């Protein structure tokens, strides 16, 4: 290796639309600053397998609008063990990779924190459709997942309306209800079941029946996966409302597709700022968006920042659901 410093970049955990935009931004910004940049395929599992590829600008020229991640991703059980972490640092040393850019959710960034404690320089970006990273206004992929969900819900609403039914629409998000809340808000969903709230089913069904009395004969109920499967609710809703109830799990369509303009912008800024942070030696940080500004926040602090639930949106949604 010459004098050029070498950066590694990987995506980890569940993929998210916009990861490619972040890769493109980091690769081009890094090359522009005179760094070498190696793509690490399949996240931490690929790191342990030395699955590396030197990146150039031609490789990222067409990926801004592409869903998924060209670097692929994985969830590795071995990586976070002490043996896995030690082996990772040895491999990074062997390849003269001085700094690692990690794009992923809190599990992946916790892995990055562990590596930083062993001396690897890290800059992270929150990439997950779940929007469960408290330090950032939004995570890469969330806006696209919500947009995809809204599109699917409008189709489900058509048939739910025609049949005067209830349809329980299950969305992803692990223990975070944001996809259900934001997609439900923008879809005028009639009810919401999310982990952040107690979700009294008797009350929810009584509200739906009051709507029915006013002539509103069908309902969309948004269910966050953190509250269980729609299959656990269908019968209960039928018992409480006497209305035919169906369920739909939107599943993996939420994770795919071309990123929205919002995610492309968010990811491109974060990818660019990650390289800026490396250049300024602002390492062991995560690039987050806070009140619209991009900052490099220490990883530990970012991981410890509590997610604030959008209570106002929840209350407005409830008031508007008539
Ligand atoms: O974290 C992103 C996410 O899509 C969650 O919303 C979901 O619970 C999980 O990943 C699904 O993971 P897998 O792809 O391993 O089934």
């Amino acid at each position: 290796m010459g004098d050029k410093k070498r950066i590694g970049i990987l995506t980890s955990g569940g993929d998210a639309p916009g990861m490619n935009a972040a890769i493109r931004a980091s690769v081009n910004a890094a090359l522009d600053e005179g760094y070498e940049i190696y793509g690490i395929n399949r996240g931490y599992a690929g790191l342990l397998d030395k699955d590396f590829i030197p990146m150039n600008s031609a490789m990222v020229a067409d990926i801004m609008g592409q869903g998924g991640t060209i670097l692929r991703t994985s969830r590795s059980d071995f990586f976070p063990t002490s043996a896995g972490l030690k082996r990772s640092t040895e491999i990074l040393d062997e390849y003269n990779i001085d700094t690692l850019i990690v794009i992923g959710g809190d599990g992946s960034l916790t892995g990055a924190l562990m590596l930083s404690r062993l001396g690897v320089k890290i800059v992270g970006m929150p990439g997950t459709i779940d929007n469960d990273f408290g330090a950032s206004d939004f995570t890469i992929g969330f806006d696209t997942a919500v947009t995809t969900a809204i599109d699917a819900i409008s189709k489900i609403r058509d048939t739910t309306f025609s049949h005067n039914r209830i349809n329980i629409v299950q969305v992803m998000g692990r223990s975070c209800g944001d996809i259900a809340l934001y997609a439900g808000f923008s879809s005028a969903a009639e009810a919401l079941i999310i982990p952040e709230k107690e979700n009294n089913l008797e009350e929810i069904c009584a509200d739906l029946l009051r709507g029915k009395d006013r002539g509103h004969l069908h309902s969309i109920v948004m269910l966050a996966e953190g509250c269980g499967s729609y299959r656990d609710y269908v019968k209960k809703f039928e018992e409480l409302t006497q209305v035919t109830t169906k369920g739909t799990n939107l599943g993996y369509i939420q994770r795919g597709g071309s990123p929205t303009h919002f995610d492309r912008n968010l990811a491109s800024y974060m990818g660019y700022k990650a390289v800026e942070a490396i250049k300024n030696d602002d390492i062991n940080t995560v690039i987050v968006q806070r009140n619209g500004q991009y900052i490099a926040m220490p990883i530990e602090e970012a991981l410890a920042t509590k997610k604030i639930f959008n209570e106002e949106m929840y209350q407005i949604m409830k008031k508007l659901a008539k």
Side-chain angles (χ1 to χ4, degrees):
M1 181 185 162
D3 289 341
K4 281 186 176 176
K5 288 218 166 198
R6 190 175 287 168
I7 298 171
I9 182 166
L10 61 82
T11 48
S12 169
D15 62 347
M19 281 183 164
N20 281 329
I23 294 167
R24 169 187 174 267
S26 289
V27 167
N28 283 345
L31 295 172
D32 194 53
E33 291 296 340
Y35 294 102
E36 284 184 338
I37 181 157
Y38 274 34
I40 300 172
N41 287 314
R42 296 180 293 110
Y44 295 123
L47 198 175
L48 287 158
D49 290 342
K50 305 182 182 176
D51 192 355
F52 299 158
I53 178 165
M55 304 289 287
N56 61 52
S57 54
M59 292 160 81
V60 296
D62 297 318
I63 66 171
M64 170 73 104
Q66 211 174 300
T69 159
I70 59 160
L71 292 177
R72 315 293 199 280
T73 186
S74 65
R75 303 187 200 276
S76 167
D77 291 332
F78 177 60
F79 167 75
T81 64
S82 53
L85 290 164
K86 185 168 170 282
R87 186 76 195 113
S88 301
T89 59
E90 288 163 0
I91 292 169
L92 291 170
D93 274 352
E94 186 189 326
Y95 280 79
N96 288 312
I97 294 174
D98 169 72
T99 309
L100 197 59
I101 296 177
V102 174
I103 311 167
D106 56 354
S108 305
L109 295 171
T110 301
L113 173 65
M114 291 172 179
L115 270 185
S116 75
R117 287 181 177 146
L118 297 179
V120 179
K121 295 179 186 168
I122 299 283
V123 177
M125 286 174 241
T128 166
I129 63 163
D130 298 343
N131 207 36
D132 57 353
F133 199 73
S136 195
D137 298 342
F138 294 103
T139 56
I140 296 168
F142 170 69
D143 187 70
T144 308
V146 169
T147 303
T148 301
I150 291 168
D151 181 50
I153 295 159
S154 85
K155 294 181 171 99
I156 294 167
R157 189 182 280 287
D158 290 345
T159 174
T160 307
F161 169 90
S162 303
H163 289 263
N164 291 343
R165 287 173 173 169
I166 294 171
N167 209 309
I168 302 173
V169 181
Q170 181 187 325
V171 291
M172 284 186 171
R174 287 190 194 276
S175 54
C176 179
D178 274 16
I179 299 179
L181 174 65
Y182 283 69
F185 188 91
S186 301
S187 304
E190 281 73 16
L192 190 61
I193 301 174
I194 50 174
E196 291 84 351
K197 292 287 168 185
E198 283 198 8
N199 311 302
N200 182 323
L201 296 192
E202 280 79 12
E203 272 175 25
I204 290 172
C205 288
D207 279 346
L208 298 185
L209 289 176
R210 273 191 285 278
K212 195 166 173 242
D213 287 345
R214 286 189 298 266
H216 190 134
L217 303 179
H218 76 289
S219 303
I220 297 291
V221 179
M222 294 303 300
L223 168 67
E225 66 174 2
C227 292
S229 156
Y230 72 86
R231 293 176 202 279
D232 307 331
Y233 290 88
V234 167
K235 226 167 144 237
K236 190 88 182 143
F237 269 74
E238 275 187 340
E239 276 164 20
L240 290 168
T241 62
Q242 302 302 312
V243 175
T244 303
T245 303
K246 302 285 177 177
T248 313
N249 180 4
L250 295 191
Y252 290 96
I253 63 163
Q254 296 161 91
R255 284 235 301 256
S258 183
T260 59
H261 108 95
F262 182 89
D263 274 330
R264 293 178 193 209
N265 285 3
L266 184 77
S268 299
Y269 268 86
M270 286 182 172
Y272 176 85
K273 295 278 176 183
V275 174
E276 197 173 73
I278 294 169
K279 190 177 134 204
N280 296 336
D281 216 19
D282 223 349
I283 45 122
N284 301 336
T285 53
V286 181
I287 307 300
V288 294
Q289 189 199 51
R290 281 184 90 71
N291 304 317
Q293 302 297 308
Y294 292 89
I295 59 165
M297 184 184 274
I299 308 179
E300 214 156 351
E301 187 188 337
L303 284 166
T305 305
K306 207 173 164 298
K307 166 89 185 155
I308 296 173
F309 177 68
N310 193 337
E311 184 65 32
E312 187 182 33
M313 181 180 272
Y314 178 77
Q315 293 302 340
I316 293 174
M317 182 176 164
K318 276 185 73 167
K319 284 216 164 69
L320 297 182
K322 290 282 173 228

